[in-house]
Amino acid sequence: MEYIVIRGGKSLSGKIPISGAKNAALPLMAATLLTKQEMVLQNVPALDDIVSMENLLRGLGTEISGKLRIGGSTLKLISDDITDTEAPYELVRKMRASVLVLGPLLARFGNARVSLPGGCAIGNRPVDIHLSGLEQMGATIELKDGYIDAKVLRHKKLQGTHIAFPTVSVGATENLMMAATLAEGETELTNAAREPEIIDLANCLISMGAKIKGHGTDTINIEGVEKLNGVDHRVVSDRIEIGTYAIAACITGGSIDLTGCDGSFLKSLIDALRGSGALIDQYDWGLRVKGPTRPKAIDIMTDPYPGFPTDLQAQMMAYMTGVNGASMITETIFENRFMHVPELNRMGADINVHNSTALVRGVSKLKGAPVMATDLRASVSLVLAGLAAEGETIVSRIYHLDRGYENLVGKLNECGADIKRVRS
Ligand code: EPZ
């Protein structure tokens, strides 16, 4: 069993290079299934979720070369000999983004059998919006034995159509956008998600020969083409990682230079941090973030992009535990994304949850304690709290962290944090 041990109370100062975005790399890897030519992906982060997607794609017959290493990897993916169109439960249950192979498999091969992802700690996370969109494009979908059995029976190809999403869904927008690139005719996605990772995926698909317009807005138009070509694409930098380390600077009252990125996709977070008293400046090499001595309270409500990212809610809550006054944090995207609250309260925070809102009353200092990670972003919020707390914090179940943060301990050590990984 591995743990992270932190001795808190130090102001961080130093440089952190930002890695490629996990939530861009995963759909980009799934897009290899849309072409038989070689896809080269640069700046792929070395994360457990990337390994899971590699295993899933290899199981379908994709050839993948290139070693994952810290600092950005180049992967070469070739899916010219797909021997299987089944994504098995043992792989899908580990990472719900596996469902992103469904659209590409249906679009190129006309059939797919993908395990239902099942829920996770932060919520039930159904895929009904993905499935209803594919049915509107002519797929026949059956749910049997925990699997999605999808086929394109009539016409042999998915048919372009107008799909109005009932709620904004990042994954459904990505799945349907990929499916529509090889469909017959034009598809219009309305109430589409606008996340930067979707823009990055669309840009990559366009380089492969797809005809896409409106990506980054709530209406995306895709005109189907016969086939897609290979591509050499660089994964966009990870805005959630940028936000996480910006909050690390703020919660410790330090100053961190975040290199290889810009703040253009993080306006809502930067506005919130500036409101709390942080100084944030953009340079050509990246962002400099200086934390305040005692943060002012800021109210946060998560919202689909460009609103405040749900993936930064837990980290912001850790920061708000030390405010002057009280902060109200409302989670509107997932139904159970406050698992970090009881753990933060064990460190002396004063947080009360009422349905989807948490009231965070500021305390003078958190106290280090043994805490348990429950999901990716909750676990990093406990690390952030440990950096600010007096004494020692031991974070267990850190496999959650390894899914989404490349070299977290190394990057924080570089900024003077007293943090290490230990194996019991
Ligand atoms: C993506 O998940 C991200 N994951 C999540 O990041 C992120 O929190 C989420 O978008 C919201 O921004 C990846 O990109 C790999 P959704 P996704 O579909 O696509 C409901 C992280 O920490 N919904 O936008 O699964 C759903 O339950 C992860 O990196 C349906 O009801 O999120 C949720 O309440 C966590 N039916 C809401 O929509 C569906 O068919 C938004 O989910 C699909 C979604």
mmCIF file of all heavy atoms in Angstrom, residues 121-164:
data_model
loop_
_atom_site.group_PDB
_atom_site.id
_atom_site.type_symbol
_atom_site.label_atom_id
_atom_site.label_comp_id
_atom_site.label_asym_id
_atom_site.label_seq_id
_atom_site.Cartn_x
_atom_site.Cartn_y
_atom_site.Cartn_z
ATOM 1 N N ALA A 121 -17.378 7.051 -7.619
ATOM 2 C CA ALA A 121 -17.566 7.691 -6.307
ATOM 3 C C ALA A 121 -18.369 8.980 -6.414
ATOM 4 O O ALA A 121 -19.124 9.338 -5.536
ATOM 5 C CB ALA A 121 -16.194 7.981 -5.693
ATOM 6 N N ILE A 122 -18.212 9.701 -7.557
ATOM 7 C CA ILE A 122 -18.825 11.050 -7.584
ATOM 8 C C ILE A 122 -20.250 11.008 -8.113
ATOM 9 O O ILE A 122 -20.925 12.030 -8.152
ATOM 10 C CB ILE A 122 -17.963 12.045 -8.401
ATOM 11 C CG1 ILE A 122 -17.856 11.627 -9.873
ATOM 12 C CG2 ILE A 122 -16.598 12.209 -7.777
ATOM 13 C CD1 ILE A 122 -17.063 12.641 -10.697
ATOM 14 N N GLY A 123 -20.697 9.824 -8.537
ATOM 15 C CA GLY A 123 -22.094 9.818 -8.976
ATOM 16 C C GLY A 123 -22.405 8.629 -9.855
ATOM 17 O O GLY A 123 -21.521 7.856 -10.236
ATOM 18 N N ASN A 124 -23.669 8.509 -10.224
ATOM 19 C CA ASN A 124 -24.160 7.380 -10.992
ATOM 20 C C ASN A 124 -23.610 7.414 -12.423
ATOM 21 O O ASN A 124 -23.262 6.401 -13.011
ATOM 22 C CB ASN A 124 -25.697 7.496 -10.926
ATOM 23 C CG ASN A 124 -26.351 6.664 -12.004
ATOM 24 O OD1 ASN A 124 -25.811 5.638 -12.382
ATOM 25 N ND2 ASN A 124 -27.482 7.129 -12.471
ATOM 26 N N ARG A 125 -23.466 8.585 -12.967
ATOM 27 C CA ARG A 125 -22.812 8.836 -14.267
ATOM 28 C C ARG A 125 -23.304 7.900 -15.379
ATOM 29 O O ARG A 125 -22.591 7.082 -15.927
ATOM 30 C CB ARG A 125 -21.301 8.742 -14.100
ATOM 31 C CG ARG A 125 -20.805 9.775 -13.090
ATOM 32 C CD ARG A 125 -19.332 9.812 -12.956
ATOM 33 N NE ARG A 125 -18.727 10.463 -14.122
ATOM 34 C CZ ARG A 125 -17.406 10.556 -14.257
ATOM 35 N NH1 ARG A 125 -16.618 10.020 -13.365
ATOM 36 N NH2 ARG A 125 -16.886 11.148 -15.320
ATOM 37 N N PRO A 126 -24.572 7.998 -15.697
ATOM 38 C CA PRO A 126 -25.132 7.157 -16.777
ATOM 39 C C PRO A 126 -24.569 7.563 -18.139
ATOM 40 O O PRO A 126 -23.864 8.582 -18.258
ATOM 41 C CB PRO A 126 -26.620 7.471 -16.694
ATOM 42 C CG PRO A 126 -26.703 8.812 -16.092
ATOM 43 C CD PRO A 126 -25.540 8.932 -15.155
ATOM 44 N N VAL A 127 -24.877 6.781 -19.150
ATOM 45 C CA VAL A 127 -24.449 7.111 -20.517
ATOM 46 C C VAL A 127 -25.663 7.204 -21.440
ATOM 47 O O VAL A 127 -25.551 7.077 -22.665
ATOM 48 C CB VAL A 127 -23.433 6.088 -21.070
ATOM 49 C CG1 VAL A 127 -22.093 6.228 -20.366
ATOM 50 C CG2 VAL A 127 -23.973 4.661 -20.973
ATOM 51 N N ASP A 128 -26.835 7.465 -20.855
ATOM 52 C CA ASP A 128 -28.078 7.486 -21.648
ATOM 53 C C ASP A 128 -28.038 8.537 -22.762
ATOM 54 O O ASP A 128 -28.576 8.319 -23.858
ATOM 55 C CB ASP A 128 -29.279 7.736 -20.739
ATOM 56 C CG ASP A 128 -29.115 8.995 -19.881
ATOM 57 O OD1 ASP A 128 -28.001 9.237 -19.406
ATOM 58 O OD2 ASP A 128 -30.093 9.744 -19.723
ATOM 59 N N ILE A 129 -27.378 9.653 -22.527
ATOM 60 C CA ILE A 129 -27.336 10.714 -23.551
ATOM 61 C C ILE A 129 -26.479 10.262 -24.744
ATOM 62 O O ILE A 129 -26.817 10.482 -25.910
ATOM 63 C CB ILE A 129 -26.800 12.029 -22.957
ATOM 64 C CG1 ILE A 129 -27.687 12.493 -21.785
ATOM 65 C CG2 ILE A 129 -26.718 13.123 -24.024
ATOM 66 C CD1 ILE A 129 -27.170 13.698 -21.046
ATOM 67 N N HIS A 130 -25.375 9.535 -24.447
ATOM 68 C CA HIS A 130 -24.550 8.975 -25.525
ATOM 69 C C HIS A 130 -25.429 8.040 -26.382
ATOM 70 O O HIS A 130 -25.441 8.126 -27.614
ATOM 71 C CB HIS A 130 -23.404 8.124 -24.963
ATOM 72 C CG HIS A 130 -22.439 8.835 -24.076
ATOM 73 N ND1 HIS A 130 -21.093 8.930 -24.337
ATOM 74 C CD2 HIS A 130 -22.605 9.471 -22.881
ATOM 75 C CE1 HIS A 130 -20.472 9.587 -23.372
ATOM 76 N NE2 HIS A 130 -21.374 9.921 -22.480
ATOM 77 N N LEU A 131 -26.136 7.137 -25.697
ATOM 78 C CA LEU A 131 -26.878 6.077 -26.402
ATOM 79 C C LEU A 131 -28.041 6.650 -27.197
ATOM 80 O O LEU A 131 -28.261 6.276 -28.360
ATOM 81 C CB LEU A 131 -27.369 5.025 -25.402
ATOM 82 C CG LEU A 131 -26.269 4.356 -24.558
ATOM 83 C CD1 LEU A 131 -26.867 3.259 -23.668
ATOM 84 C CD2 LEU A 131 -25.155 3.796 -25.434
ATOM 85 N N SER A 132 -28.745 7.614 -26.603
ATOM 86 C CA SER A 132 -29.908 8.150 -27.336
ATOM 87 C C SER A 132 -29.433 8.913 -28.576
ATOM 88 O O SER A 132 -30.043 8.842 -29.640
ATOM 89 C CB SER A 132 -30.756 9.013 -26.388
ATOM 90 O OG SER A 132 -30.735 10.344 -26.751
ATOM 91 N N GLY A 133 -28.286 9.579 -28.483
ATOM 92 C CA GLY A 133 -27.754 10.280 -29.662
ATOM 93 C C GLY A 133 -27.412 9.294 -30.773
ATOM 94 O O GLY A 133 -27.735 9.509 -31.944
ATOM 95 N N LEU A 134 -26.785 8.178 -30.410
ATOM 96 C CA LEU A 134 -26.406 7.183 -31.425
ATOM 97 C C LEU A 134 -27.653 6.530 -32.042
ATOM 98 O O LEU A 134 -27.709 6.258 -33.236
ATOM 99 C CB LEU A 134 -25.478 6.128 -30.813
ATOM 100 C CG LEU A 134 -24.087 6.661 -30.436
ATOM 101 C CD1 LEU A 134 -23.346 5.654 -29.542
ATOM 102 C CD2 LEU A 134 -23.263 6.990 -31.685
ATOM 103 N N GLU A 135 -28.673 6.337 -31.216
ATOM 104 C CA GLU A 135 -29.934 5.780 -31.774
ATOM 105 C C GLU A 135 -30.545 6.762 -32.761
ATOM 106 O O GLU A 135 -31.031 6.393 -33.829
ATOM 107 C CB GLU A 135 -30.916 5.495 -30.633
ATOM 108 C CG GLU A 135 -30.591 4.194 -29.886
ATOM 109 C CD GLU A 135 -31.505 3.946 -28.698
ATOM 110 O OE1 GLU A 135 -31.940 4.930 -28.057
ATOM 111 O OE2 GLU A 135 -31.775 2.772 -28.396
ATOM 112 N N GLN A 136 -30.474 8.053 -32.437
ATOM 113 C CA GLN A 136 -31.022 9.065 -33.369
ATOM 114 C C GLN A 136 -30.242 9.060 -34.683
ATOM 115 O O GLN A 136 -30.742 9.481 -35.720
ATOM 116 C CB GLN A 136 -30.965 10.458 -32.725
ATOM 117 C CG GLN A 136 -31.936 10.632 -31.538
ATOM 118 C CD GLN A 136 -31.712 11.950 -30.830
ATOM 119 O OE1 GLN A 136 -31.831 13.016 -31.435
ATOM 120 N NE2 GLN A 136 -31.367 11.872 -29.553
ATOM 121 N N MET A 137 -29.012 8.537 -34.644
ATOM 122 C CA MET A 137 -28.202 8.455 -35.880
ATOM 123 C C MET A 137 -28.394 7.122 -36.579
ATOM 124 O O MET A 137 -27.702 6.805 -37.546
ATOM 125 C CB MET A 137 -26.717 8.670 -35.547
ATOM 126 C CG MET A 137 -26.400 10.057 -35.021
ATOM 127 S SD MET A 137 -24.633 10.270 -34.730
ATOM 128 C CE MET A 137 -24.056 10.477 -36.416
ATOM 129 N N GLY A 138 -29.341 6.314 -36.059
ATOM 130 C CA GLY A 138 -29.675 5.085 -36.763
ATOM 131 C C GLY A 138 -29.108 3.823 -36.146
ATOM 132 O O GLY A 138 -29.292 2.725 -36.672
ATOM 133 N N ALA A 139 -28.430 3.929 -35.027
ATOM 134 C CA ALA A 139 -27.894 2.713 -34.403
ATOM 135 C C ALA A 139 -29.016 1.984 -33.660
ATOM 136 O O ALA A 139 -29.949 2.607 -33.166
ATOM 137 C CB ALA A 139 -26.791 3.085 -33.412
ATOM 138 N N THR A 140 -28.899 0.664 -33.655
ATOM 139 C CA THR A 140 -29.799 -0.150 -32.834
ATOM 140 C C THR A 140 -29.033 -0.536 -31.577
ATOM 141 O O THR A 140 -27.943 -1.113 -31.677
ATOM 142 C CB THR A 140 -30.187 -1.438 -33.607
ATOM 143 O OG1 THR A 140 -30.709 -1.043 -34.872
ATOM 144 C CG2 THR A 140 -31.215 -2.237 -32.835
ATOM 145 N N ILE A 141 -29.600 -0.182 -30.420
ATOM 146 C CA ILE A 141 -28.830 -0.388 -29.181
ATOM 147 C C ILE A 141 -29.621 -1.260 -28.221
ATOM 148 O O ILE A 141 -30.800 -1.016 -27.969
ATOM 149 C CB ILE A 141 -28.485 0.965 -28.544
ATOM 150 C CG1 ILE A 141 -27.469 1.673 -29.468
ATOM 151 C CG2 ILE A 141 -27.922 0.791 -27.132
ATOM 152 C CD1 ILE A 141 -26.910 2.958 -28.983
ATOM 153 N N GLU A 142 -28.954 -2.300 -27.729
ATOM 154 C CA GLU A 142 -29.583 -3.195 -26.758
ATOM 155 C C GLU A 142 -28.702 -3.246 -25.523
ATOM 156 O O GLU A 142 -27.465 -3.299 -25.654
ATOM 157 C CB GLU A 142 -29.664 -4.589 -27.393
ATOM 158 C CG GLU A 142 -30.895 -5.383 -27.043
ATOM 159 C CD GLU A 142 -30.763 -6.816 -27.554
ATOM 160 O OE1 GLU A 142 -30.155 -7.059 -28.614
ATOM 161 O OE2 GLU A 142 -31.243 -7.697 -26.815
ATOM 162 N N LEU A 143 -29.316 -3.206 -24.346
ATOM 163 C CA LEU A 143 -28.530 -3.351 -23.107
ATOM 164 C C LEU A 143 -28.744 -4.769 -22.593
ATOM 165 O O LEU A 143 -29.879 -5.147 -22.299
ATOM 166 C CB LEU A 143 -28.995 -2.326 -22.064
ATOM 167 C CG LEU A 143 -28.849 -0.857 -22.472
ATOM 168 C CD1 LEU A 143 -29.224 0.067 -21.307
ATOM 169 C CD2 LEU A 143 -27.430 -0.557 -22.953
ATOM 170 N N LYS A 144 -27.650 -5.542 -22.549
ATOM 171 C CA LYS A 144 -27.806 -6.946 -22.144
ATOM 172 C C LYS A 144 -26.590 -7.352 -21.327
ATOM 173 O O LYS A 144 -25.454 -7.041 -21.704
ATOM 174 C CB LYS A 144 -27.892 -7.831 -23.412
ATOM 175 C CG LYS A 144 -28.835 -9.027 -23.274
ATOM 176 C CD LYS A 144 -29.142 -9.678 -24.618
ATOM 177 C CE LYS A 144 -27.892 -10.253 -25.279
ATOM 178 N NZ LYS A 144 -28.157 -10.785 -26.624
ATOM 179 N N ASP A 145 -26.830 -8.031 -20.224
ATOM 180 C CA ASP A 145 -25.745 -8.541 -19.359
ATOM 181 C C ASP A 145 -24.718 -7.466 -19.002
ATOM 182 O O ASP A 145 -23.525 -7.719 -18.984
ATOM 183 C CB ASP A 145 -24.988 -9.706 -20.068
ATOM 184 C CG ASP A 145 -25.939 -10.735 -20.648
ATOM 185 O OD1 ASP A 145 -26.983 -10.939 -20.003
ATOM 186 O OD2 ASP A 145 -25.668 -11.258 -21.749
ATOM 187 N N GLY A 146 -25.202 -6.247 -18.815
ATOM 188 C CA GLY A 146 -24.281 -5.164 -18.419
ATOM 189 C C GLY A 146 -23.484 -4.589 -19.569
ATOM 190 O O GLY A 146 -22.545 -3.831 -19.363
ATOM 191 N N TYR A 147 -23.862 -4.994 -20.793
ATOM 192 C CA TYR A 147 -23.144 -4.494 -21.975
ATOM 193 C C TYR A 147 -24.075 -3.685 -22.869
ATOM 194 O O TYR A 147 -25.272 -3.909 -22.900
ATOM 195 C CB TYR A 147 -22.568 -5.667 -22.776
ATOM 196 C CG TYR A 147 -21.222 -6.131 -22.257
ATOM 197 C CD1 TYR A 147 -21.138 -6.908 -21.103
ATOM 198 C CD2 TYR A 147 -20.037 -5.759 -22.882
ATOM 199 C CE1 TYR A 147 -19.913 -7.320 -20.604
ATOM 200 C CE2 TYR A 147 -18.799 -6.179 -22.403
ATOM 201 C CZ TYR A 147 -18.746 -6.949 -21.258
ATOM 202 O OH TYR A 147 -17.525 -7.348 -20.776
ATOM 203 N N ILE A 148 -23.471 -2.763 -23.606
ATOM 204 C CA ILE A 148 -24.153 -2.008 -24.653
ATOM 205 C C ILE A 148 -23.873 -2.746 -25.960
ATOM 206 O O ILE A 148 -22.713 -2.844 -26.375
ATOM 207 C CB ILE A 148 -23.592 -0.571 -24.764
ATOM 208 C CG1 ILE A 148 -23.716 0.175 -23.442
ATOM 209 C CG2 ILE A 148 -24.268 0.190 -25.903
ATOM 210 C CD1 ILE A 148 -22.793 1.373 -23.330
ATOM 211 N N ASP A 149 -24.917 -3.309 -26.544
ATOM 212 C CA ASP A 149 -24.767 -3.995 -27.839
ATOM 213 C C ASP A 149 -25.288 -3.057 -28.911
ATOM 214 O O ASP A 149 -26.493 -2.800 -28.974
ATOM 215 C CB ASP A 149 -25.633 -5.266 -27.829
ATOM 216 C CG ASP A 149 -24.761 -6.499 -27.784
ATOM 217 O OD1 ASP A 149 -23.659 -6.431 -28.374
ATOM 218 O OD2 ASP A 149 -25.172 -7.487 -27.147
ATOM 219 N N ALA A 150 -24.376 -2.483 -29.713
ATOM 220 C CA ALA A 150 -24.807 -1.470 -30.691
ATOM 221 C C ALA A 150 -24.498 -1.942 -32.107
ATOM 222 O O ALA A 150 -23.421 -2.487 -32.371
ATOM 223 C CB ALA A 150 -24.085 -0.160 -30.393
ATOM 224 N N LYS A 151 -25.455 -1.764 -32.994
ATOM 225 C CA LYS A 151 -25.263 -2.155 -34.400
ATOM 226 C C LYS A 151 -25.894 -1.095 -35.310
ATOM 227 O O LYS A 151 -26.860 -0.448 -34.935
ATOM 228 C CB LYS A 151 -25.970 -3.490 -34.671
ATOM 229 C CG LYS A 151 -25.309 -4.695 -34.020
ATOM 230 C CD LYS A 151 -26.002 -5.991 -34.426
ATOM 231 C CE LYS A 151 -25.336 -7.180 -33.747
ATOM 232 N NZ LYS A 151 -25.331 -7.010 -32.253
ATOM 233 N N VAL A 152 -25.308 -0.984 -36.540
ATOM 234 C CA VAL A 152 -25.941 -0.132 -37.547
ATOM 235 C C VAL A 152 -26.517 -1.093 -38.588
ATOM 236 O O VAL A 152 -25.766 -1.684 -39.374
ATOM 237 C CB VAL A 152 -24.913 0.829 -38.193
ATOM 238 C CG1 VAL A 152 -25.620 1.777 -39.164
ATOM 239 C CG2 VAL A 152 -24.196 1.639 -37.113
ATOM 240 N N LEU A 153 -27.813 -1.330 -38.534
ATOM 241 C CA LEU A 153 -28.388 -2.364 -39.400
ATOM 242 C C LEU A 153 -28.795 -1.773 -40.752
ATOM 243 O O LEU A 153 -28.264 -2.120 -41.772
ATOM 244 C CB LEU A 153 -29.608 -2.999 -38.696
ATOM 245 C CG LEU A 153 -29.231 -3.659 -37.353
ATOM 246 C CD1 LEU A 153 -30.474 -4.090 -36.598
ATOM 247 C CD2 LEU A 153 -28.267 -4.800 -37.579
ATOM 248 N N ARG A 154 -29.706 -0.775 -40.706
ATOM 249 C CA ARG A 154 -30.134 -0.193 -41.991
ATOM 250 C C ARG A 154 -29.014 0.696 -42.523
ATOM 251 O O ARG A 154 -28.198 1.194 -41.779
ATOM 252 C CB ARG A 154 -31.390 0.670 -41.743
ATOM 253 C CG ARG A 154 -32.634 -0.179 -41.519
ATOM 254 C CD ARG A 154 -33.839 0.687 -41.200
ATOM 255 N NE ARG A 154 -33.683 1.329 -39.894
ATOM 256 C CZ ARG A 154 -33.632 2.632 -39.741
ATOM 257 N NH1 ARG A 154 -33.710 3.433 -40.768
ATOM 258 N NH2 ARG A 154 -33.466 3.160 -38.540
ATOM 259 N N HIS A 155 -28.986 0.935 -43.768
ATOM 260 C CA HIS A 155 -28.059 1.871 -44.443
ATOM 261 C C HIS A 155 -26.584 1.475 -44.285
ATOM 262 O O HIS A 155 -25.726 2.024 -44.939
ATOM 263 C CB HIS A 155 -28.178 3.313 -43.890
ATOM 264 C CG HIS A 155 -29.571 3.832 -43.833
ATOM 265 N ND1 HIS A 155 -30.288 4.149 -44.956
ATOM 266 C CD2 HIS A 155 -30.398 4.047 -42.786
ATOM 267 C CE1 HIS A 155 -31.497 4.577 -44.587
ATOM 268 N NE2 HIS A 155 -31.594 4.523 -43.291
ATOM 269 N N LYS A 156 -26.261 0.616 -43.341
ATOM 270 C CA LYS A 156 -24.862 0.225 -43.124
ATOM 271 C C LYS A 156 -24.015 1.350 -42.529
ATOM 272 O O LYS A 156 -22.908 1.155 -42.109
ATOM 273 C CB LYS A 156 -24.190 -0.240 -44.447
ATOM 274 C CG LYS A 156 -24.667 -1.608 -44.893
ATOM 275 C CD LYS A 156 -23.954 -2.695 -44.068
ATOM 276 C CE LYS A 156 -24.646 -4.037 -44.112
ATOM 277 N NZ LYS A 156 -25.174 -4.428 -42.784
ATOM 278 N N LYS A 157 -24.497 2.623 -42.566
ATOM 279 C CA LYS A 157 -23.706 3.704 -41.970
ATOM 280 C C LYS A 157 -24.616 4.548 -41.081
ATOM 281 O O LYS A 157 -25.820 4.642 -41.322
ATOM 282 C CB LYS A 157 -23.127 4.626 -43.076
ATOM 283 C CG LYS A 157 -21.950 4.027 -43.814
ATOM 284 C CD LYS A 157 -21.369 5.021 -44.812
ATOM 285 C CE LYS A 157 -20.292 5.876 -44.157
ATOM 286 N NZ LYS A 157 -19.521 6.683 -45.112
ATOM 287 N N LEU A 158 -24.022 5.153 -40.067
ATOM 288 C CA LEU A 158 -24.774 6.088 -39.244
ATOM 289 C C LEU A 158 -25.280 7.217 -40.133
ATOM 290 O O LEU A 158 -24.636 7.579 -41.131
ATOM 291 C CB LEU A 158 -23.879 6.648 -38.130
ATOM 292 C CG LEU A 158 -23.464 5.659 -37.030
ATOM 293 C CD1 LEU A 158 -22.415 6.296 -36.121
ATOM 294 C CD2 LEU A 158 -24.664 5.176 -36.223
ATOM 295 N N GLN A 159 -26.429 7.760 -39.773
ATOM 296 C CA GLN A 159 -27.040 8.819 -40.580
ATOM 297 C C GLN A 159 -26.950 10.158 -39.840
ATOM 298 O O GLN A 159 -27.276 10.225 -38.645
ATOM 299 C CB GLN A 159 -28.526 8.491 -40.824
ATOM 300 C CG GLN A 159 -28.728 7.153 -41.540
ATOM 301 C CD GLN A 159 -28.096 7.146 -42.921
ATOM 302 O OE1 GLN A 159 -28.398 8.001 -43.748
ATOM 303 N NE2 GLN A 159 -27.181 6.195 -43.153
ATOM 304 N N GLY A 160 -26.497 11.177 -40.529
ATOM 305 C CA GLY A 160 -26.450 12.511 -39.913
ATOM 306 C C GLY A 160 -27.857 12.953 -39.513
ATOM 307 O O GLY A 160 -28.833 12.598 -40.159
ATOM 308 N N THR A 161 -27.946 13.687 -38.389
ATOM 309 C CA THR A 161 -29.252 14.163 -37.924
ATOM 310 C C THR A 161 -29.050 15.323 -36.947
ATOM 311 O O THR A 161 -27.906 15.693 -36.673
ATOM 312 C CB THR A 161 -30.022 13.009 -37.230
ATOM 313 O OG1 THR A 161 -31.346 13.464 -36.899
ATOM 314 C CG2 THR A 161 -29.313 12.576 -35.946
ATOM 315 N N HIS A 162 -30.142 15.884 -36.420
ATOM 316 C CA HIS A 162 -30.028 16.952 -35.404
ATOM 317 C C HIS A 162 -30.202 16.331 -34.033
ATOM 318 O O HIS A 162 -31.203 15.655 -33.769
ATOM 319 C CB HIS A 162 -31.102 18.026 -35.635
ATOM 320 C CG HIS A 162 -31.181 18.985 -34.463
ATOM 321 N ND1 HIS A 162 -32.363 19.419 -33.906
ATOM 322 C CD2 HIS A 162 -30.202 19.561 -33.710
ATOM 323 C CE1 HIS A 162 -32.108 20.225 -32.882
ATOM 324 N NE2 HIS A 162 -30.799 20.327 -32.748
ATOM 325 N N ILE A 163 -29.230 16.511 -33.161
ATOM 326 C CA ILE A 163 -29.297 15.953 -31.800
ATOM 327 C C ILE A 163 -29.248 17.106 -30.798
ATOM 328 O O ILE A 163 -28.296 17.895 -30.797
ATOM 329 C CB ILE A 163 -28.114 14.990 -31.532
ATOM 330 C CG1 ILE A 163 -28.178 13.787 -32.505
ATOM 331 C CG2 ILE A 163 -28.139 14.492 -30.081
ATOM 332 C CD1 ILE A 163 -26.933 12.925 -32.505
ATOM 333 N N ALA A 164 -30.324 17.228 -30.016
ATOM 334 C CA ALA A 164 -30.360 18.273 -28.985
ATOM 335 C C ALA A 164 -30.100 17.590 -27.639
ATOM 336 O O ALA A 164 -30.896 16.776 -27.176
ATOM 337 C CB ALA A 164 -31.730 18.942 -28.983
#
